[in-house]
Amino acid sequence: MEIDSEEKTIIAQFRSETGEVTGSPLDLPVNITTVQLEHLINHVLHNEEKLPYSFFVNDNEVTENLGALLAQQKISTEDTVVITYQPQAVFRVRAVTRCTGSLSGHTEAVLSVAFSPDGRKLASGSGDTTVRFWDVDTHTPEYTSKGHTNWVLFVSWSPNCRRLATGGMDNTIRLWEPATGKQVGQALTGHTKFITSIAWEPLHANPECTRLVSSSKDSTARIWDTRTGRCVLSLSGHTMSMTCVKWGGEGLIYTASQDRTIKVFEASTGKLCRTLSGHGHWVNTLALNTDYALRTGAYDHTGVEYGSVQEAQKAALQRYSTIINMAGSELLVSGSDDFTLHLWDPTKDKHPITRMTGHQNLVNLVSYSPDGRLIASASFDKSIKLWNGITGKFINSLRAHVEAVYQVSWSSDSRMLCSGSRDSTLKIWDTKTGQRKQELPGHADEVYSVDWSPDGQRVASGSKDRLLKIWQT
């Protein structure tokens, strides 16, 4: 059907992303633009301050004007068109464009880099067995922390920024004091093979951040009390190496394994709740739609510091609840060597919501956007794919890398994505258009680790060339 967008009008009904009908049906011109829709919805919702929104019809985003989408999707203008609106981040992160510092010091490949939840500190783990803390403003080393006797594979900050946990090929987890670079207590020993992943208990569940969980190639996960240095619970049941562990906000721990399953454990008792089966090969990676809120705890883009532990806990719970209310529950996505992703609602069901296919090679990493609305998957097929974070529907393929994509990291406003690849480059992507915004060459070898600081100011990358690089606008 031809739409004459000059004269046509349509009856449109606004609806929130949770399904609530907003206002009465409106008679709108077909050629109404997204800017005009934004003005309109702010008026309908009586917002005192104008907020940014994006608009969808049948899960397809309105990018320019409504008529273009209706024509493209062959949607009749005779029926009432339901327009779903989604609030966007009020703040905007600017794309990083240049390397502002090359941080040398590691004598082997940099395997893991991570900004602290407040974005003010940076830590790295390397094949040279050391952990290093860096000053992000002056681009200079603060501390070199020695203790591991083999490669440091994983670094993870506690949500309150007071501790850094690192796991290595020496089968131990070590805790460090970021203010001094000194090791806290003895190494956490008990695993019989190397550590593959570490996750801290969420701030809203434990404001003191005293417990963490580690996964290992020995096919177990262990919950540790960081004050005593003791293993509180051992989570077993997998028959092959564990690849990833997540500590969710609902009191559950999720583990992925090369035995092709994901197991869901109760964090308080260690009891196995359910096993999620469906993948045909190793499960490499997990992501929760609440990951970003759990990682950053009470810290957000405003940089507000809370005076008491209770206030910080309340703020962390509010940020977590925002995602849960939007999605309906805590969702989990898994990526596998079988080239697929599976989307789960693990608190309720052992069957996947959907199976997401399209990659032509193994999926190395999956990551939820901070607002929980998008999923990015990085694959050895040289591409990144974007998916709807609630339905699992395919949105776009991001192609420009010429080798396997190892890592991706989101900007805190969910509008951009940074990827690191075997081809030695980083790339910045606009997730709305799927276009590459920036090409960031500079490393001399494979990029193993990428992290975009939670305050949005910087990207850090770690490479096989032994350097950390910091990228800014």
Side-chain angles (χ1 to χ4, degrees):
M1 181 183 73
E2 284 292 313
I3 292 177
D4 179 7
S5 57
E6 291 301 313
E7 300 165 7
K8 285 259 184 197
T9 62
I10 55 161
I11 304 295
Q13 174 67 64
F14 282 119
R15 193 173 68 185
S16 72
E17 58 188 332
T18 53
E20 293 163 18
V21 172
T22 306
S24 313
L26 301 168
D27 196 359
L28 302 178
V30 165
N31 62 354
I32 190 168
T33 65
T34 50
V35 176
Q36 292 166 323
L37 282 168
E38 203 168 86
H39 279 297
L40 189 58
I41 192 64
N42 273 291
H43 181 71
V44 170
L45 293 170
H46 307 295
N47 291 335
E48 288 180 16
E49 286 184 32
K50 186 171 168 288
L51 299 174
Y53 290 88
S54 51
F55 301 91
F56 297 81
V57 176
N58 295 348
D59 282 342
N60 296 293
E61 187 167 1
V62 182
T63 49
E64 292 165 6
N65 66 58
L66 189 57
L69 180 69
L70 297 181
Q72 182 191 341
Q73 298 295 320
K74 298 187 170 62
I75 296 168
S76 169
T77 54
E78 304 298 322
D79 303 324
T80 301
V81 175
V82 176
I83 302 174
T84 306
Y85 60 92
Q86 287 183 359
Q88 300 295 294
V90 181
F91 62 101
R92 274 190 179 271
V93 172
R94 290 165 63 190
V96 297
T97 55
R98 63 204 167 91
C99 177
T100 55
S102 282
L103 313 185
S104 58
H106 283 300
T107 56
E108 290 293 336
V110 182
L111 303 175
S112 183
V113 297
F115 283 100
S116 57
D118 61 6
R120 292 176 193 163
K121 290 185 180 295
L122 176 65
S124 60
S126 164
D128 65 9
T129 76
T130 68
V131 176
R132 286 177 183 253
F133 292 92
W134 308 87
D135 186 310
V136 294
D137 294 317
T138 61
H139 298 173
T140 52
E142 282 191 325
Y143 308 108
T144 301
S145 305
K146 296 180 178 175
H148 283 289
T149 56
N150 208 327
W151 299 357
V152 181
L153 300 172
F154 204 90
V155 301
S156 176
W157 290 86
S158 64
N160 63 3
C161 297
R162 292 194 187 144
R163 291 284 182 270
L164 180 81
T166 58
M169 285 284 278
D170 60 5
N171 312 344
T172 69
I173 297 112
R174 290 170 195 266
L175 297 165
W176 311 90
E177 173 83 57
T180 61
K182 298 234 172 7
Q183 186 173 324
V184 180
Q186 297 295 310
L188 310 182
T189 56
H191 283 299
T192 56
K193 290 185 178 171
F194 65 78
I195 311 303
T196 55
S197 182
I198 297 168
W200 288 83
E201 186 170 13
L203 185 82
H204 68 256
N206 176 0
E208 300 295 336
C209 300
T210 53
R211 297 203 301 169
L212 59 85
V213 61
S214 59
S215 63
S216 166
K217 193 173 169 15
D218 66 12
S219 76
T220 69
R222 287 171 179 263
I223 299 175
W224 307 87
D225 185 325
T226 59
R227 291 167 301 187
T228 61
R230 293 224 170 91
C231 174
V232 185
L233 288 168
S234 182
L235 312 177
S236 57
H238 283 296
T239 56
M240 288 177 74
S241 168
M242 271 196 202
T243 53
C244 188
V245 64
K246 294 283 176 187
W247 196 321
E250 304 290 317
L252 297 173
I253 288 172
Y254 310 99
T255 59
S257 167
Q258 290 181 351
D259 67 9
R260 309 188 311 238
T261 68
I262 298 145
K263 290 190 185 290
V264 184
F265 295 93
E266 252 178 36
S268 54
T269 62
K271 185 178 134 213
L272 177 65
C273 299
R274 55 181 64 89
T275 299
L276 313 180
S277 306
H279 281 296
H281 210 312
W282 298 353
V283 185
N284 296 324
T285 172
L286 297 176
L288 292 166
N289 60 346
T290 52
D291 268 347
Y292 189 81
L294 297 178
R295 170 194 171 176
T296 52
Y299 296 101
D300 62 12
H301 67 282
T302 59
V304 172
E305 292 277 353
Y306 292 94
S308 72
V309 172
Q310 289 73 25
E311 281 176 23
Q313 184 179 17
K314 189 177 168 188
L317 181 59
Q318 190 174 355
R319 295 184 70 212
Y320 172 80
S321 302
T322 302
I323 306 286
I324 295 296
N325 294 340
M326 183 271 295
S329 62
E330 190 167 63
L331 302 178
L332 178 78
V333 64
S334 56
S336 164
D337 265 24
D338 66 7
F339 308 175
T340 71
L341 291 81
H342 283 42
L343 185 62
W344 314 83
D345 189 347
T347 55
K348 298 174 184 163
D349 195 2
K350 65 178 185 179
H351 300 292
I353 297 169
T354 187
R355 188 165 166 264
M356 297 133 80
T357 60
H359 279 298
Q360 307 295 310
N361 208 324
L362 69 87
V363 179
N364 191 55
L365 188 91
V366 290
S367 179
Y368 257 100
S369 61
D371 63 10
R373 293 195 179 99
L374 294 171
I375 296 164
S377 56
S379 168
F380 278 28
D381 68 6
K382 309 173 192 173
S383 78
I384 301 138
K385 291 190 188 295
L386 294 178
W387 317 79
N388 182 303
I390 296 169
T391 63
K393 184 182 170 188
F394 172 72
I395 296 171
N396 214 337
S397 274
L398 313 181
R399 297 182 187 277
H401 284 295
V402 294
E403 290 284 353
V405 185
Y406 288 152
Q407 294 276 312
V408 292
S409 184
W410 287 88
S411 65
S412 49
D413 65 356
S414 303
R415 291 187 176 100
M416 286 179 292
L417 190 68
C418 178
S419 57
S421 162
R422 189 192 286 158
D423 67 13
S424 82
T425 70
L426 285 87
K427 296 186 193 323
I428 307 291
W429 307 86
D430 183 322
T431 54
K432 190 163 276 211
T433 62
Q435 299 299 308
R436 182 180 64 198
K437 281 178 86 89
Q438 291 291 334
E439 173 91 21
L440 303 174
H443 279 296
D445 214 327
E446 307 181 15
V447 179
Y448 287 147
S449 190
V450 175
D451 195 23
W452 203 316
S453 67
D455 61 11
Q457 303 284 323
R458 304 168 181 84
V459 168
S461 57
S463 166
K464 194 176 174 181
D465 67 6
R466 307 174 186 178
L467 293 177
L468 263 94
K469 284 185 185 285
I470 291 184
W471 312 81
Q472 286 175 265
T473 48

